[in-house]
Amino acid sequence: MLSLRARRAIPLVISCLTAFTSVSAFADNTLFTAMDDPATAKKPFEGNVQAGYNSQSGNSQSSTLLANTSMTWFNSDAAYSLWGAANNTTSSNVRSSEKYQAGGRTRYNLSDRNYLFGQASWLSDRFNGYDSRSTATGGYGRQVLNGPLSDLRVEFGPGVRHDEYHGGGRSTKALAYGAANYSYQLTDTTKFSEGVSALANEETTLNSETALSVAINDKFSLRLAYTVTYNSKPPASAPKNTDTTTSVSLVYGL
């Protein structure tokens, strides 16, 4: 059963989601954003591989490598997805960021507008204080818009999270989860998307990703993304509340 604080946090989660969606395809998988509607899927399988690399030398030396992949299978009323991602940054031959994640998700349509979902993920992000963070959630979703140009999905439900902190210690807590995902087809080759999620108990984690995808041809596209993660009570080994990431990656459709 959710704690009193978690129950009190639910209205805050909903209000945050409403604020974000007034400005929000599938966003960064770490955000727990909603999957596409299987009833409108154009093919039984969709997948992609994304990769980006940046290197600087001379007076300063740094390099950044990021990669992720997602695979989704559709049938008439259900969908299943798996994903994985890695992000590493080195500055002056010293590792300054190291993040790995993996997860899975399912969606089952109850009707053309309503669905059930379940998802689980694992994250390792020691520079932000977590040797391991495992999260599982499930609940109800609503397909608000599903048109040729715009798509909007919202969902919420209970969950549980297990943290193992880089500075030592661990915790397992119930939480309240909510998410929203909006996309708009600007042109035949350009899509804007905004995904947000909130997970709340004694602490609140808010995630937001704003992205622009531009198709180069049938297989390749360029993706620019800006991601913000806010933690109201970060671990002592990583005391800052907010982390941001800007990325440019080449996407290959499987």
PDB file of all heavy atoms in Angstrom, residues 23-55:
ATOM      1  N   VAL A  23       2.991  21.968 -23.053  1.00  0.00           N
ATOM      2  CA  VAL A  23       4.087  22.420 -23.913  1.00  0.00           C
ATOM      3  C   VAL A  23       4.652  21.230 -24.664  1.00  0.00           C
ATOM      4  O   VAL A  23       5.572  21.415 -25.431  1.00  0.00           O
ATOM      5  CB  VAL A  23       5.181  23.087 -23.088  1.00  0.00           C
ATOM      6  CG1 VAL A  23       4.683  24.349 -22.468  1.00  0.00           C
ATOM      7  CG2 VAL A  23       5.825  22.147 -22.109  1.00  0.00           C
ATOM      8  N   SER A  24       4.414  18.671 -24.657  1.00  0.00           N
ATOM      9  CA  SER A  24       5.182  17.326 -24.701  1.00  0.00           C
ATOM     10  C   SER A  24       4.991  16.526 -25.940  1.00  0.00           C
ATOM     11  O   SER A  24       4.190  16.052 -26.227  1.00  0.00           O
ATOM     12  CB  SER A  24       4.729  16.609 -23.507  1.00  0.00           C
ATOM     13  OG  SER A  24       4.625  15.529 -23.019  1.00  0.00           O
ATOM     14  N   ALA A  25       6.171   9.960 -30.807  1.00  0.00           N
ATOM     15  CA  ALA A  25       6.699   9.144 -30.583  1.00  0.00           C
ATOM     16  C   ALA A  25       7.478   8.847 -29.387  1.00  0.00           C
ATOM     17  O   ALA A  25       7.619   9.498 -28.443  1.00  0.00           O
ATOM     18  CB  ALA A  25       7.545   9.318 -31.774  1.00  0.00           C
ATOM     19  N   PHE A  26       7.838   8.332 -29.238  1.00  0.00           N
ATOM     20  CA  PHE A  26       8.437   7.649 -28.118  1.00  0.00           C
ATOM     21  C   PHE A  26       9.659   8.415 -27.662  1.00  0.00           C
ATOM     22  O   PHE A  26      10.634   8.533 -28.372  1.00  0.00           O
ATOM     23  CB  PHE A  26       8.794   6.233 -28.545  1.00  0.00           C
ATOM     24  CG  PHE A  26       8.894   5.278 -27.441  1.00  0.00           C
ATOM     25  CD1 PHE A  26       7.823   4.482 -27.094  1.00  0.00           C
ATOM     26  CD2 PHE A  26      10.061   5.167 -26.744  1.00  0.00           C
ATOM     27  CE1 PHE A  26       7.926   3.578 -26.061  1.00  0.00           C
ATOM     28  CE2 PHE A  26      10.174   4.264 -25.713  1.00  0.00           C
ATOM     29  CZ  PHE A  26       9.100   3.463 -25.374  1.00  0.00           C
ATOM     30  N   ALA A  27       9.658   8.937 -26.463  1.00  0.00           N
ATOM     31  CA  ALA A  27      10.785   9.709 -25.971  1.00  0.00           C
ATOM     32  C   ALA A  27      11.838   8.779 -25.384  1.00  0.00           C
ATOM     33  O   ALA A  27      11.764   7.582 -25.506  1.00  0.00           O
ATOM     34  CB  ALA A  27      10.300  10.711 -24.920  1.00  0.00           C
ATOM     35  N   ASP A  28      12.837   9.392 -24.747  1.00  0.00           N
ATOM     36  CA  ASP A  28      13.908   8.625 -24.141  1.00  0.00           C
ATOM     37  C   ASP A  28      13.329   7.534 -23.255  1.00  0.00           C
ATOM     38  O   ASP A  28      12.491   7.771 -22.411  1.00  0.00           O
ATOM     39  CB  ASP A  28      14.769   9.586 -23.317  1.00  0.00           C
ATOM     40  CG  ASP A  28      15.947   8.910 -22.662  1.00  0.00           C
ATOM     41  OD1 ASP A  28      16.076   7.686 -22.781  1.00  0.00           O
ATOM     42  OD2 ASP A  28      16.725   9.624 -22.027  1.00  0.00           O
ATOM     43  N   ASN A  29      13.833   6.296 -23.446  1.00  0.00           N
ATOM     44  CA  ASN A  29      13.252   5.159 -22.742  1.00  0.00           C
ATOM     45  C   ASN A  29      13.369   5.266 -21.230  1.00  0.00           C
ATOM     46  O   ASN A  29      12.613   4.644 -20.489  1.00  0.00           O
ATOM     47  CB  ASN A  29      13.911   3.867 -23.223  1.00  0.00           C
ATOM     48  CG  ASN A  29      13.571   3.577 -24.664  1.00  0.00           C
ATOM     49  OD1 ASN A  29      12.449   3.768 -25.093  1.00  0.00           O
ATOM     50  ND2 ASN A  29      14.551   3.149 -25.423  1.00  0.00           N
ATOM     51  N   THR A  30      14.346   6.009 -20.731  1.00  0.00           N
ATOM     52  CA  THR A  30      14.497   6.141 -19.289  1.00  0.00           C
ATOM     53  C   THR A  30      13.342   6.900 -18.658  1.00  0.00           C
ATOM     54  O   THR A  30      13.188   6.895 -17.449  1.00  0.00           O
ATOM     55  CB  THR A  30      15.799   6.888 -18.955  1.00  0.00           C
ATOM     56  OG1 THR A  30      15.701   8.220 -19.430  1.00  0.00           O
ATOM     57  CG2 THR A  30      16.985   6.214 -19.599  1.00  0.00           C
ATOM     58  N   LEU A  31      12.537   7.569 -19.463  1.00  0.00           N
ATOM     59  CA  LEU A  31      11.471   8.408 -18.939  1.00  0.00           C
ATOM     60  C   LEU A  31      10.184   7.643 -18.672  1.00  0.00           C
ATOM     61  O   LEU A  31       9.215   8.198 -18.177  1.00  0.00           O
ATOM     62  CB  LEU A  31      11.160   9.549 -19.922  1.00  0.00           C
ATOM     63  CG  LEU A  31      12.327  10.469 -20.259  1.00  0.00           C
ATOM     64  CD1 LEU A  31      11.871  11.548 -21.202  1.00  0.00           C
ATOM     65  CD2 LEU A  31      12.923  11.079 -19.009  1.00  0.00           C
ATOM     66  N   PHE A  32      10.132   6.372 -19.014  1.00  0.00           N
ATOM     67  CA  PHE A  32       8.926   5.578 -18.830  1.00  0.00           C
ATOM     68  C   PHE A  32       7.755   6.187 -19.596  1.00  0.00           C
ATOM     69  O   PHE A  32       6.652   6.238 -19.106  1.00  0.00           O
ATOM     70  CB  PHE A  32       8.539   5.494 -17.352  1.00  0.00           C
ATOM     71  CG  PHE A  32       9.522   4.739 -16.524  1.00  0.00           C
ATOM     72  CD1 PHE A  32      10.601   5.367 -15.958  1.00  0.00           C
ATOM     73  CD2 PHE A  32       9.355   3.388 -16.302  1.00  0.00           C
ATOM     74  CE1 PHE A  32      11.511   4.680 -15.181  1.00  0.00           C
ATOM     75  CE2 PHE A  32      10.258   2.692 -15.537  1.00  0.00           C
ATOM     76  CZ  PHE A  32      11.342   3.332 -14.968  1.00  0.00           C
ATOM     77  N   THR A  33       7.989   6.650 -20.805  1.00  0.00           N
ATOM     78  CA  THR A  33       6.897   7.246 -21.556  1.00  0.00           C
ATOM     79  C   THR A  33       6.091   6.185 -22.284  1.00  0.00           C
ATOM     80  O   THR A  33       6.543   5.090 -22.523  1.00  0.00           O
ATOM     81  CB  THR A  33       7.406   8.292 -22.549  1.00  0.00           C
ATOM     82  OG1 THR A  33       8.493   7.724 -23.294  1.00  0.00           O
ATOM     83  CG2 THR A  33       7.908   9.524 -21.840  1.00  0.00           C
ATOM     84  N   ALA A  34       4.861   6.537 -22.650  1.00  0.00           N
ATOM     85  CA  ALA A  34       3.894   5.583 -23.163  1.00  0.00           C
ATOM     86  C   ALA A  34       4.253   5.073 -24.556  1.00  0.00           C
ATOM     87  O   ALA A  34       4.818   5.790 -25.373  1.00  0.00           O
ATOM     88  CB  ALA A  34       2.515   6.229 -23.201  1.00  0.00           C
ATOM     89  N   MET A  35       3.893   3.811 -24.814  1.00  0.00           N
ATOM     90  CA  MET A  35       4.153   3.189 -26.104  1.00  0.00           C
ATOM     91  C   MET A  35       3.108   3.583 -27.129  1.00  0.00           C
ATOM     92  O   MET A  35       2.013   4.017 -26.800  1.00  0.00           O
ATOM     93  CB  MET A  35       4.153   1.658 -25.944  1.00  0.00           C
ATOM     94  CG  MET A  35       5.311   1.127 -25.130  1.00  0.00           C
ATOM     95  SD  MET A  35       5.110  -0.622 -24.754  1.00  0.00           S
ATOM     96  CE  MET A  35       5.153  -1.317 -26.412  1.00  0.00           C
ATOM     97  N   ASP A  36       3.459   3.391 -28.410  1.00  0.00           N
ATOM     98  CA  ASP A  36       2.510   3.639 -29.492  1.00  0.00           C
ATOM     99  C   ASP A  36       1.324   2.690 -29.401  1.00  0.00           C
ATOM    100  O   ASP A  36       1.412   1.588 -28.845  1.00  0.00           O
ATOM    101  CB  ASP A  36       3.199   3.461 -30.844  1.00  0.00           C
ATOM    102  CG  ASP A  36       4.209   4.562 -31.120  1.00  0.00           C
ATOM    103  OD1 ASP A  36       4.056   5.651 -30.557  1.00  0.00           O
ATOM    104  OD2 ASP A  36       5.147   4.315 -31.897  1.00  0.00           O
ATOM    105  N   ASP A  37       0.208   3.118 -29.972  1.00  0.00           N
ATOM    106  CA  ASP A  37      -1.015   2.322 -29.980  1.00  0.00           C
ATOM    107  C   ASP A  37      -0.849   1.128 -30.921  1.00  0.00           C
ATOM    108  O   ASP A  37      -0.639   1.305 -32.128  1.00  0.00           O
ATOM    109  CB  ASP A  37      -2.172   3.201 -30.442  1.00  0.00           C
ATOM    110  CG  ASP A  37      -3.510   2.493 -30.379  1.00  0.00           C
ATOM    111  OD1 ASP A  37      -3.543   1.307 -29.997  1.00  0.00           O
ATOM    112  OD2 ASP A  37      -4.520   3.125 -30.722  1.00  0.00           O
ATOM    113  N   PRO A  38      -0.941  -0.112 -30.420  1.00  0.00           N
ATOM    114  CA  PRO A  38      -0.781  -1.273 -31.308  1.00  0.00           C
ATOM    115  C   PRO A  38      -1.864  -1.358 -32.371  1.00  0.00           C
ATOM    116  O   PRO A  38      -1.647  -1.931 -33.442  1.00  0.00           O
ATOM    117  CB  PRO A  38      -0.834  -2.470 -30.346  1.00  0.00           C
ATOM    118  CG  PRO A  38      -1.514  -1.960 -29.127  1.00  0.00           C
ATOM    119  CD  PRO A  38      -1.118  -0.514 -29.022  1.00  0.00           C
ATOM    120  N   ALA A  39      -3.045  -0.778 -32.104  1.00  0.00           N
ATOM    121  CA  ALA A  39      -4.141  -0.848 -33.068  1.00  0.00           C
ATOM    122  C   ALA A  39      -3.842  -0.061 -34.338  1.00  0.00           C
ATOM    123  O   ALA A  39      -4.430  -0.324 -35.388  1.00  0.00           O
ATOM    124  CB  ALA A  39      -5.429  -0.345 -32.433  1.00  0.00           C
ATOM    125  N   THR A  40      -2.937   0.919 -34.256  1.00  0.00           N
ATOM    126  CA  THR A  40      -2.622   1.746 -35.423  1.00  0.00           C
ATOM    127  C   THR A  40      -1.209   1.498 -35.941  1.00  0.00           C
ATOM    128  O   THR A  40      -0.719   2.251 -36.785  1.00  0.00           O
ATOM    129  CB  THR A  40      -2.780   3.231 -35.076  1.00  0.00           C
ATOM    130  OG1 THR A  40      -1.898   3.570 -33.992  1.00  0.00           O
ATOM    131  CG2 THR A  40      -4.212   3.549 -34.668  1.00  0.00           C
ATOM    132  N   ALA A  41      -0.544   0.461 -35.438  1.00  0.00           N
ATOM    133  CA  ALA A  41       0.819   0.162 -35.887  1.00  0.00           C
ATOM    134  C   ALA A  41       0.827  -0.209 -37.371  1.00  0.00           C
ATOM    135  O   ALA A  41      -0.035  -0.943 -37.846  1.00  0.00           O
ATOM    136  CB  ALA A  41       1.401  -0.980 -35.054  1.00  0.00           C
ATOM    137  N   LYS A  42       1.806   0.296 -38.110  1.00  0.00           N
ATOM    138  CA  LYS A  42       1.879   0.059 -39.543  1.00  0.00           C
ATOM    139  C   LYS A  42       2.588  -1.246 -39.889  1.00  0.00           C
ATOM    140  O   LYS A  42       2.483  -1.730 -41.016  1.00  0.00           O
ATOM    141  CB  LYS A  42       2.586   1.230 -40.226  1.00  0.00           C
ATOM    142  CG  LYS A  42       1.830   2.555 -40.073  1.00  0.00           C
ATOM    143  CD  LYS A  42       2.562   3.693 -40.750  1.00  0.00           C
ATOM    144  CE  LYS A  42       1.800   5.006 -40.603  1.00  0.00           C
ATOM    145  NZ  LYS A  42       2.514   6.137 -41.244  1.00  0.00           N
ATOM    146  N   LYS A  43       3.328  -1.825 -38.929  1.00  0.00           N
ATOM    147  CA  LYS A  43       4.015  -3.087 -39.164  1.00  0.00           C
ATOM    148  C   LYS A  43       4.189  -3.812 -37.836  1.00  0.00           C
ATOM    149  O   LYS A  43       4.125  -3.191 -36.761  1.00  0.00           O
ATOM    150  CB  LYS A  43       5.366  -2.855 -39.845  1.00  0.00           C
ATOM    151  CG  LYS A  43       6.231  -1.795 -39.191  1.00  0.00           C
ATOM    152  CD  LYS A  43       7.456  -1.497 -40.032  1.00  0.00           C
ATOM    153  CE  LYS A  43       8.306  -0.395 -39.422  1.00  0.00           C
ATOM    154  NZ  LYS A  43       9.511  -0.109 -40.244  1.00  0.00           N
ATOM    155  N   PRO A  44       4.403  -5.137 -37.856  1.00  0.00           N
ATOM    156  CA  PRO A  44       4.445  -5.904 -36.608  1.00  0.00           C
ATOM    157  C   PRO A  44       5.692  -5.680 -35.770  1.00  0.00           C
ATOM    158  O   PRO A  44       5.712  -6.034 -34.587  1.00  0.00           O
ATOM    159  CB  PRO A  44       4.372  -7.351 -37.092  1.00  0.00           C
ATOM    160  CG  PRO A  44       4.894  -7.317 -38.492  1.00  0.00           C
ATOM    161  CD  PRO A  44       4.458  -5.994 -39.043  1.00  0.00           C
ATOM    162  N   PHE A  45       6.746  -5.093 -36.338  1.00  0.00           N
ATOM    163  CA  PHE A  45       7.973  -4.853 -35.571  1.00  0.00           C
ATOM    164  C   PHE A  45       8.558  -3.504 -35.951  1.00  0.00           C
ATOM    165  O   PHE A  45       8.611  -3.141 -37.125  1.00  0.00           O
ATOM    166  CB  PHE A  45       9.008  -5.942 -35.853  1.00  0.00           C
ATOM    167  CG  PHE A  45      10.369  -5.641 -35.268  1.00  0.00           C
ATOM    168  CD1 PHE A  45      10.613  -5.838 -33.920  1.00  0.00           C
ATOM    169  CD2 PHE A  45      11.391  -5.132 -36.071  1.00  0.00           C
ATOM    170  CE1 PHE A  45      11.865  -5.547 -33.369  1.00  0.00           C
ATOM    171  CE2 PHE A  45      12.638  -4.845 -35.535  1.00  0.00           C
ATOM    172  CZ  PHE A  45      12.870  -5.057 -34.173  1.00  0.00           C
ATOM    173  N   GLU A  46       8.983  -2.749 -34.933  1.00  0.00           N
ATOM    174  CA  GLU A  46       9.720  -1.514 -35.147  1.00  0.00           C
ATOM    175  C   GLU A  46      10.904  -1.489 -34.202  1.00  0.00           C
ATOM    176  O   GLU A  46      10.779  -1.835 -33.027  1.00  0.00           O
ATOM    177  CB  GLU A  46       8.833  -0.286 -34.900  1.00  0.00           C
ATOM    178  CG  GLU A  46       7.772  -0.049 -35.955  1.00  0.00           C
ATOM    179  CD  GLU A  46       7.029   1.256 -35.750  1.00  0.00           C
ATOM    180  OE1 GLU A  46       7.339   1.945 -34.745  1.00  0.00           O
ATOM    181  OE2 GLU A  46       6.145   1.578 -36.549  1.00  0.00           O
ATOM    182  N   GLY A  47      12.043  -1.083 -34.708  1.00  0.00           N
ATOM    183  CA  GLY A  47      13.232  -1.001 -33.870  1.00  0.00           C
ATOM    184  C   GLY A  47      14.179   0.042 -34.407  1.00  0.00           C
ATOM    185  O   GLY A  47      14.095   0.451 -35.568  1.00  0.00           O
ATOM    186  N   ASN A  48      15.077   0.513 -33.552  1.00  0.00           N
ATOM    187  CA  ASN A  48      16.082   1.463 -34.008  1.00  0.00           C
ATOM    188  C   ASN A  48      17.330   1.348 -33.152  1.00  0.00           C
ATOM    189  O   ASN A  48      17.299   0.827 -32.024  1.00  0.00           O
ATOM    190  CB  ASN A  48      15.544   2.897 -33.986  1.00  0.00           C
ATOM    191  CG  ASN A  48      15.230   3.397 -32.593  1.00  0.00           C
ATOM    192  OD1 ASN A  48      16.120   3.637 -31.789  1.00  0.00           O
ATOM    193  ND2 ASN A  48      13.942   3.542 -32.295  1.00  0.00           N
ATOM    194  N   VAL A  49      18.420   1.823 -33.712  1.00  0.00           N
ATOM    195  CA  VAL A  49      19.703   1.920 -33.025  1.00  0.00           C
ATOM    196  C   VAL A  49      20.177   3.349 -33.159  1.00  0.00           C
ATOM    197  O   VAL A  49      20.191   3.901 -34.267  1.00  0.00           O
ATOM    198  CB  VAL A  49      20.742   0.958 -33.629  1.00  0.00           C
ATOM    199  CG1 VAL A  49      22.090   1.137 -32.936  1.00  0.00           C
ATOM    200  CG2 VAL A  49      20.276  -0.487 -33.502  1.00  0.00           C
ATOM    201  N   GLN A  50      20.539   3.985 -32.044  1.00  0.00           N
ATOM    202  CA  GLN A  50      21.026   5.356 -32.052  1.00  0.00           C
ATOM    203  C   GLN A  50      22.462   5.385 -31.543  1.00  0.00           C
ATOM    204  O   GLN A  50      22.813   4.652 -30.622  1.00  0.00           O
ATOM    205  CB  GLN A  50      20.174   6.258 -31.158  1.00  0.00           C
ATOM    206  CG  GLN A  50      18.709   6.321 -31.542  1.00  0.00           C
ATOM    207  CD  GLN A  50      17.947   7.267 -30.632  1.00  0.00           C
ATOM    208  OE1 GLN A  50      18.450   8.314 -30.241  1.00  0.00           O
ATOM    209  NE2 GLN A  50      16.723   6.897 -30.298  1.00  0.00           N
ATOM    210  N   ALA A  51      23.288   6.253 -32.135  1.00  0.00           N
ATOM    211  CA  ALA A  51      24.676   6.381 -31.698  1.00  0.00           C
ATOM    212  C   ALA A  51      25.149   7.807 -31.902  1.00  0.00           C
ATOM    213  O   ALA A  51      24.776   8.461 -32.881  1.00  0.00           O
ATOM    214  CB  ALA A  51      25.576   5.413 -32.465  1.00  0.00           C
ATOM    215  N   GLY A  52      25.968   8.277 -30.982  1.00  0.00           N
ATOM    216  CA  GLY A  52      26.554   9.604 -31.093  1.00  0.00           C
ATOM    217  C   GLY A  52      27.919   9.625 -30.439  1.00  0.00           C
ATOM    218  O   GLY A  52      28.164   8.925 -29.451  1.00  0.00           O
ATOM    219  N   TYR A  53      28.833  10.423 -30.997  1.00  0.00           N
ATOM    220  CA  TYR A  53      30.182  10.502 -30.446  1.00  0.00           C
ATOM    221  C   TYR A  53      30.712  11.912 -30.633  1.00  0.00           C
ATOM    222  O   TYR A  53      30.536  12.517 -31.699  1.00  0.00           O
ATOM    223  CB  TYR A  53      31.115   9.500 -31.136  1.00  0.00           C
ATOM    224  CG  TYR A  53      32.553   9.553 -30.630  1.00  0.00           C
ATOM    225  CD1 TYR A  53      32.873   9.045 -29.376  1.00  0.00           C
ATOM    226  CD2 TYR A  53      33.555  10.133 -31.396  1.00  0.00           C
ATOM    227  CE1 TYR A  53      34.177   9.100 -28.902  1.00  0.00           C
ATOM    228  CE2 TYR A  53      34.856  10.187 -30.938  1.00  0.00           C
ATOM    229  CZ  TYR A  53      35.155   9.673 -29.693  1.00  0.00           C
ATOM    230  OH  TYR A  53      36.444   9.732 -29.215  1.00  0.00           O
ATOM    231  N   ASN A  54      31.384  12.438 -29.592  1.00  0.00           N
ATOM    232  CA  ASN A  54      31.998  13.751 -29.655  1.00  0.00           C
ATOM    233  C   ASN A  54      33.393  13.663 -29.041  1.00  0.00           C
ATOM    234  O   ASN A  54      33.571  13.083 -27.965  1.00  0.00           O
ATOM    235  CB  ASN A  54      31.162  14.780 -28.884  1.00  0.00           C
ATOM    236  CG  ASN A  54      31.831  16.141 -28.858  1.00  0.00           C
ATOM    237  OD1 ASN A  54      31.960  16.800 -29.879  1.00  0.00           O
ATOM    238  ND2 ASN A  54      32.277  16.559 -27.679  1.00  0.00           N
ATOM    239  N   SER A  55      34.383  14.236 -29.726  1.00  0.00           N
ATOM    240  CA  SER A  55      35.754  14.207 -29.231  1.00  0.00           C
ATOM    241  C   SER A  55      36.399  15.574 -29.398  1.00  0.00           C
ATOM    242  O   SER A  55      36.221  16.227 -30.438  1.00  0.00           O
ATOM    243  CB  SER A  55      36.570  13.154 -29.992  1.00  0.00           C
ATOM    244  OG  SER A  55      37.918  13.126 -29.530  1.00  0.00           O
TER     245      SER A  55
END
